[in-house]
Amino acid sequence: MPLTSKNVLLSLLLGIAGLTLVSCGNKPAENASTGDGAKPAATANAGEEEKILNIYNWSDYLAEDTIPNFEKETGIKVRYDIFDSNEILHAKLMAKNTGYDIVVPSSNWAKLQIDGGLLQKLDKSKLTNWKNLDPDILKQMANLDPGNQYLVDWLWSYTTVGINEDKVKAALGDMPMPENTWDLVFDPKYTSKLKSCGITILDAPSEIFPIALRYVHKPEFSSNPDDYKVAYDMMMKVRPDIKRFNSGGQIEDLASGNVCVALGWAGDFNLARKRSIENKSEQNIKALVTSMGGYMFMDTMAIPSDAKHVDNAHKFINYILRPEVHAGLTNAVTYANPNKAATPLVDKEIQENKTIYLPAEDVKKLIPPGNVDNATRRVETRLFTQFKTGA
Ligand code: N2P
């Protein structure tokens, strides 16, 4: 097997959390073509389900034409709401009766939701485009979702440091860039200087602690509260230098030059660069691949157990799995997709961007998606709240 990013990704993820790989048991319809050959909704299950689909997804995660084209083709009206953290989505699912037919949790959170009976199995007979999915990605998804029964990857990326290079260099003055670029957000020597041009951090404990723990040389998904205290103490030293805790707003903050350093999602940093070029502010924004790695996530389409429009949800998932639709998402928002058939349709510049499609040696450095127990989650939440308030 050649050493590709995906193979490394696979072996990385096979090792996590002692989970056993279960191969994909369900196969897409054998005679289906690459396109899904969708019939107009009026002829499919007419009268069985009202033409409504309620979707809950992350912000800035769509191409402009994704929803309008689906609505035009199927006659299904989409209601689309957004969230900015797994914590928010998880709380909604736990409270039940979300009213959503499709939600997009990251795979590690989706595992908790599968185990808690909050998601329902997919009907693969309705997903004729399943065959377009990359088998390597399906295999690693099977770590958390054995047999790939519940989840379909939407897009994936990793949490890392993003910078406005010109502003950072100006703020650092004579000081060279650190070898470990996590220092830009975690070492007061740097943050005290970067404070002048603005540092922003994701507003989600589950995104920050695995990285902060690695930075202080503790296990990323430790269950020892003392380890979290060590990470918290380290973070509190830079607290006075942080301007904002914000997840969905980082793209705009970077693109408009309001901040110069962010701890956030690599895809959003590339998108901020693209937006700044589009809005002619041309900020020199970069996602950094740090020597200490980053935290990988795979955001997945899933159907809540109490969804009312399950057939429409399958139609939407099958639509996303068309090569041109999945490539359209990647081209619009600069996140990698799991669709092998879509690769030739992804813009060359994006395919060649090594912060979007990471080389194998960088994939190896990433922290694979993981989970902590509920007691640890409470420790994370309490300490993160204190961190935010500066207490
Ligand atoms: C989209 C951000 C989603 C990535 N803008 C976080 N899982």
Side-chain angles (χ1 to χ4, degrees), residues 294-305:
Y295 183 21
M296 170 188 283
F297 58 83
M298 313 208 63
D299 295 329
T300 62
M301 291 180 274
I303 306 179
S305 306

Side-chain angles (χ1 to χ4, degrees), residues 85-102:
S85 75
N86 277 299
E87 281 84 347
I88 292 175
L89 169 58
H90 191 67
K92 254 203 179 141
L93 285 166
M94 291 288 282
K96 309 269 170 71
N97 297 317
T98 59
Y100 293 113
D101 304 305
I102 293 202

Side-chain angles (χ1 to χ4, degrees), residues 58-61 106 207 251 265 268 297 299 335:
W58 301 81
S59 57
D60 289 289
Y61 231 14
S106 301
E207 301 264 10
I251 298 171
W265 303 309
D268 277 11
F297 58 83
D299 295 329
Y335 278 77

